[in-house]
Amino acid sequence: MKIPIEVQTLAKSIVLGLLLAALLGGAVYFSPLPESLLPLLGNAIMAVCVLLGAVLISKHYGQKGLIHGLSFGVIFFTVMIIASLIFSADAISLKSFAAHLLGCLLSGALGGIIGIGMSDL
């Protein structure tokens, strides 16, 4: 049974996000950098993971990069929201919800466009 490219790429993006979070979290912990940077670093990690995932999917398909990138952004955002609800009892604010959704959509759209430029087809 072949695993769909979307699932493979989602897994790669999540693993990349976890590795970057551990690396940057350790850098903040062991350096004089203030902990107030953590939300900004978290948003940057999210954007990088969605961007790279959208690039991989769009490169694979070779067409409709914007649609594939946006859909990957929505998928990543959905998984992120579900994980947030499972691991945190805090309520999600509408402002945070909208900002993260917009970040995932923009990163996905940009990644989809870049992926088409890199495709072999």
Side-chain angles (χ1 to χ4, degrees):
M1 183 173 92
K2 185 171 170 141
I3 299 173
I5 188 70
E6 291 84 0
V7 175
Q8 292 175 14
T9 304
L10 181 62
K12 290 176 186 177
S13 292
I14 291 171
V15 169
L16 175 65
L18 292 173
L19 290 173
L20 286 174
L23 180 70
L24 293 176
V28 168
Y29 181 77
F30 291 111
S31 72
L33 294 172
E35 289 184 11
S36 60
L37 282 177
L38 289 176
L40 177 64
L41 292 174
N43 289 336
I45 290 169
M46 178 195 68
V48 166
C49 291
V50 173
L51 182 101
L52 291 177
V55 165
L56 291 174
I57 288 176
S58 295
K59 184 177 177 185
H60 173 79
Y61 285 113
Q63 59 184 352
K64 298 182 183 176
L66 185 61
I67 300 299
H68 289 295
L70 287 171
S71 65
F72 183 76
V74 169
I75 291 168
F76 190 92
F77 176 76
T78 303
V79 169
M80 187 175 65
I81 288 294
I82 291 170
S84 295
L85 293 173
I86 290 172
F87 294 115
S88 176
D90 297 337
I92 299 172
S93 71
L94 183 61
K95 180 181 173 185
S96 174
F97 182 89
H100 284 101
L101 178 59
L102 182 63
C104 284
L105 290 175
L106 290 174
S107 297
L110 182 60
I113 293 168
I114 293 170
I116 289 299
M118 296 173 62
S119 70
D120 298 335
L121 301 176

